[in-house]
Amino acid sequence: VSAWQSLVSCPYQFFARHLLGLNELDEVPEEMDKADYGSLVHAVLADFHSRRPRLGATEREELAADLRATGERVFAPAEARGYLAGAWRLRWERRIPAYLDWALRREAEGYHFTRAEEKLARVIEWSPGGVTRLEGRADRIDTGAAGLALLDYKTQSKQTLKHKLDASGEDVQLSSYAWLSGAAEAGFVSLDADKVETLAWPGDLAEAAAAEGERLADTFSALAAGAPLPAHAAPQTCGRCEMRGLCRREHGEAR
C-alpha cells in the first residue's frame, strides 16, 4: 500500500524507490525521531490490546499501569541506544489517560478489539493472466455492529489527518485497506493530542474501496502497456521526497 501511495503521489518517485530500489537508507539515524516514536507506540498498543482484548471489566488504574509497563518494555531497546528515547516515552505516557478515555468509550459504543498488526493481501487482476499482489498491514481491526472496523493509529496532527481524509489529498491508505479487508468502517486514531479521537472515513467506504480497486487495475494495465512514469508531484510531496536529486522535474525547473 505504501508503494501504491508513492505511485499515486508521484510516478517518478515510485519508479526510483520501488523499481530502481533507491529507497534504502544510507545510514541509521543516531537519535529517535517522530517516525520511530510512532512505530514504538504502535507496538505498545498491539501488545497491550492483544493481551487485553476486553477492557471494561478491569480497573482503570490497572490498565494504565499495564500501558506504562508495556511502554517501558517496548521503548527499552531504543533508550539503551540513546537517552532521547526516554523523552519520547514520557511523551507517550502523558497520552495514556486520553488514550484510555478513547478505548473505554469505544468499547462502550459496541466496538470490540479483534486483531492488531493484521497482514492483508489481495490480487489485482489487471488483464487476462496479468496480476499484481497488493499487501498491507492494518494497525487494528475491531468488530462492530456494522461489521469490521479498520483503524490506523497516527501520531500526526489532526489537521494533517483531516487533509488525508479529504478527497483532494489523494491519500490512498484507508480506501486501499478497506478494499483489502472488506471493512465496513475505517478511520484514523489521532494519538498525539490532549484528546484521542477517531477521524472516520467521511463518505461511502464501500464505494471508495471499489473505486480504489478499479483504479489499481486500470493503473497497472496502463503500466504494462508502457505508460510513462513522469514526475508530477504536488509541492508538499516534492518537499519531503528523498529522490529530489534525481528528479527530472527539478532538473527542468533549474534550467
Side-chain angles (χ1 to χ4, degrees), residues 63-80:
L63 296 175
D66 192 344
L67 270 174
R68 283 193 297 274
T70 304
E72 290 172 358
R73 173 164 48 82
V74 171
F75 275 75
E79 291 186 53

Side-chain angles (χ1 to χ4, degrees), residues 1 7 19 27 29 90 92 96-97 106 133 138 140 145 150 152 165 167 170 194 229 233 236-237 239 241 255:
V1 172
L7 179 55
L19 300 184
E27 56 186 45
L90 293 175
W92 158 243
I96 288 177
R106 183 169 177 82
R133 181 180 171 90
R140 171 173 172 159
L150 188 147
D152 196 77
L165 291 171
E170 282 283 22
D194 293 334
L229 291 166
Q236 60 268 28
T237 299
C241 180
R255 291 197 298 270

Side-chain angles (χ1 to χ4, degrees), residues 20-222:
L20 297 182
L22 299 178
N23 58 333
E24 299 289 332
L25 290 176
D26 291 329
E27 56 186 45
V28 177
E30 295 182 1
E31 299 292 350
M32 274 186 63
D33 60 17
K34 195 168 186 181
D36 299 319
Y37 165 70
S39 296
L40 291 176
V41 170
H42 281 60
V44 169
L45 295 178
D47 183 300
F48 174 76
H49 285 290
S50 295
R51 290 184 292 101
R52 294 181 179 270
R54 301 292 182 269
L55 305 179
T58 305
E59 291 295 328
R60 185 187 174 99
E61 291 77 11
E62 181 181 338
L63 296 175
D66 192 344
L67 270 174
R68 283 193 297 274
T70 304
E72 290 172 358
R73 173 164 48 82
V74 171
F75 275 75
E79 291 186 53
R81 294 192 299 269
Y83 71 95
L84 285 180
W88 285 107
R89 175 177 54 80
L90 293 175
R91 177 173 179 155
W92 158 243
E93 289 183 357
R94 289 194 293 271
R95 274 34 182 206
I96 288 177
Y99 181 77
L100 283 176
D101 287 343
W102 172 84
L104 291 167
R105 183 172 64 249
R106 183 169 177 82
E107 192 169 290
E109 291 170 353
Y111 291 96
H112 299 293
F113 171 84
T114 304
R115 297 185 293 278
E117 298 296 318
E118 180 74 359
K119 292 182 179 179
L120 304 171
R122 186 170 173 180
V123 170
I124 307 157
E125 298 182 6
W126 42 265
S127 73
V131 297
T132 299
R133 181 180 171 90
L134 182 70
E135 299 179 348
R137 187 187 296 270
D139 291 345
R140 171 173 172 159
I141 296 178
D142 289 353
T143 302
L148 295 182
L150 188 147
L151 296 176
D152 196 77
Y153 296 125
K154 294 294 187 185
T155 55
Q156 298 166 315
S157 70
K158 290 180 183 177
Q159 183 176 354
T160 297
L161 298 181
K162 288 178 180 178
H163 178 69
K164 287 177 176 288
L165 291 171
D166 190 311
S168 64
E170 282 283 22
D171 189 274
V172 305
Q173 187 172 24
L174 290 183
S175 54
S176 296
Y177 283 178
W179 183 74
L180 286 171
S181 66
E185 301 176 49
F188 295 125
V189 181
S190 173
L191 294 174
D192 208 30
D194 293 334
K195 180 182 179 181
V196 175
E197 60 184 288
T198 307
L199 283 72
W201 183 265
D204 187 322
L205 183 63
E207 181 180 331
E212 200 68 65
E214 291 177 8
R215 180 162 68 155
L216 280 156
D218 291 344
T219 300
F220 281 100
S221 177

